[in-house]
């Protein structure tokens, strides 16, 4: 309103979406922290992915609104008016967002929260676009190039759209029970091999990520004459080792006799 800049308007609209998405992320983190119950025995971690999808949809809607304003700017736009108050407000907003984005991403990675990390990445994108828009608007004011203002708004819209696509893609992977990374899988294989003394092999290792939890299940082959208590001790040892190195791991082990060995899984050292 102070400058009449379409580019600054698009930047302000993106910040407005950030406020709404932060509220959604906060609600998701609160709900995901609720303990498992009879209706949700595996916990409520996946709600964070739904929140991230919601944020992605909101980002897409904001991008469409930005494109609309940019089109109007191309057709009927006027040069922005210099306003020290308007520029100062943009600078202050960018600085606040930069600090908040860093805090969210650090906290989200420590808590293994996809919603917080996603919100932090979105804010960081907003900071980068704010700096670019501010420099562009100042250039428009100095040169009088009217077309540059809506052009900058289009660039902001494209940046926002790309950010939204990344969030939705990542969240859909979580909702589809995407496996743990290759690095985590290799770590689990090594831990089973090193801490499964007394067993013969492990096979059919599967993992899936749900928010802060990593679900791990596999078959552990032991000698057919091994007592149940001894096999249980081996499972406990493996579970403790995985839980220590893979935060949030939830492990299920199916014990099998030696004639079930596939000779193609994890060999116990």
């Amino acid at each position: 309103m102070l400058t009449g800049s379409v580019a600054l308007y698009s930047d302000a609209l993106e910040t407005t979406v950030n406020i709404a998405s932060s509220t959604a992320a906060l609600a998701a983190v609160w709900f995901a922290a609720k303990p498992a119950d009879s209706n949700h025995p595996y916990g409520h971690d996946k709600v964070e992915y739904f929140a991230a999808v919601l944020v992605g949809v909101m980002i897409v809607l904001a991008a469409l609104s930005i494109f609309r304003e940019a089109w109007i700017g191309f057709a009927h736009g006027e040069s922005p008016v210099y306003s020290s108050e308007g520029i100062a407000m943009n600078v202050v907003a960018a600085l606040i967002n930069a600090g908040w984005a860093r805090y969210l991403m650090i906290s989200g990675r420590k808590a293994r929260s996809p919603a917080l990390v996603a919100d932090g990445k979105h804010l960081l994108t907003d900071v980068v676009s704010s700096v670019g828009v501010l420099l562009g608007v100042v250039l428009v004011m100095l040169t009088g190039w009217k077309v540059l203002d809506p052009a900058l708004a289009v660039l902001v819209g494209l940046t926002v759209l790309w950010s939204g696509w990344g969030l939705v893609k990542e969240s859909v992977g979580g909702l589809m029970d995407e496996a743990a990374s290759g690095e985590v899988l290799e770590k689990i294989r090594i831990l089973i091999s090193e801490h499964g003394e007394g067993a013969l092999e492990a096979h059919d290792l599967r993992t899936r990520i749900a928010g802060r939890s990593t679900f791990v299940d596999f078959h552990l082959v032991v000698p057919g004459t091994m007592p149940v208590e001894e096999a249980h001790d081996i499972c406990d040892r493996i579970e403790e080792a995985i839980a220590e190195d893979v935060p949030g791991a939830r492990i299920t082990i199916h014990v099998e006799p030696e004639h079930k060995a596939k000779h193609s899984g994890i060999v116990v050292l």
Side-chain angles (χ1 to χ4, degrees):
M1 290 174 64
L2 290 170
T3 63
S5 167
V6 177
L8 287 182
Y9 168 82
S10 66
D11 196 37
L13 183 61
E14 184 182 6
T15 300
T16 303
V17 172
N18 286 340
I19 296 171
S21 63
S22 295
T23 304
L26 177 62
V29 169
W30 172 81
F31 195 80
K34 294 177 65 175
D37 53 40
S38 58
N39 288 329
H40 305 90
Y42 292 99
H44 303 81
D45 296 303
K46 280 195 174 183
V47 71
E48 295 198 35
Y49 292 118
F50 284 105
V53 169
L54 175 62
V55 171
V57 172
M58 293 172 66
I59 291 173
V60 170
L61 293 176
L64 294 176
S65 178
I66 290 171
F67 291 146
R68 176 180 176 275
E69 293 300 322
W71 174 256
I72 295 173
F74 278 122
H76 311 289
E78 298 180 358
S79 295
V81 179
Y82 175 78
S83 169
S84 57
E85 294 87 352
I87 294 175
M89 288 174 66
N90 189 265
V91 171
V92 171
L95 291 174
I96 293 173
N97 281 343
W100 187 233
R102 177 176 172 80
Y103 175 77
L104 281 175
M105 287 190 291
I106 292 175
S107 301
R109 290 191 181 106
K110 286 182 179 178
R112 302 185 75 237
S113 168
L116 287 180
V117 173
D119 205 31
K121 288 180 178 179
H122 180 208
L123 274 174
L124 189 59
T125 302
D126 189 20
V127 173
V128 174
S129 64
S130 293
V131 173
V133 165
L134 183 61
L135 293 175
V137 169
V138 171
L139 183 62
V140 172
M141 292 175 178
L142 293 175
T143 62
W145 295 343
K146 296 181 182 181
V147 71
L148 186 57
D149 187 43
L152 285 170
V154 171
L155 289 177
V156 172
L158 291 173
T159 302
V160 171
L161 202 58
W162 181 255
S163 174
W165 163 249
L167 289 181
V168 172
K169 182 180 178 182
E170 183 178 337
S171 300
V172 168
L175 290 172
M176 294 295 290
D177 289 335
E178 190 173 32
S181 66
E183 181 183 351
V184 172
L185 282 171
E186 183 60 26
K187 182 186 296 185
I188 292 173
R189 291 190 183 97
I190 292 173
L191 290 170
I192 293 172
S193 179
E194 292 179 346
H195 295 273
E197 184 180 356
L200 302 176
E201 72 169 37
H203 57 252
D204 293 344
L205 171 63
R206 300 185 303 173
T207 62
R208 65 183 178 91
I209 303 295
R212 288 164 286 184
S213 299
T214 302
F215 290 88
V216 181
D217 67 81
F218 59 90
H219 294 198
L220 185 70
V221 179
V222 300
T225 57
M226 177 178 286
V228 172
E229 186 174 359
E230 188 175 341
H232 185 268
D233 289 341
I234 296 173
C235 291
D236 283 347
R237 195 165 61 241
I238 295 173
E239 288 175 3
E240 290 173 4
I242 294 175
E244 185 176 344
D245 274 27
V246 183
R250 300 188 185 184
I251 306 121
T252 301
I253 304 175
H254 178 70
V255 178
E256 296 179 332
E258 55 192 311
H259 72 271
K260 293 284 189 177
K262 293 186 176 181
H263 308 293
S264 61
I266 302 165
V267 178
V268 175
L269 299 177

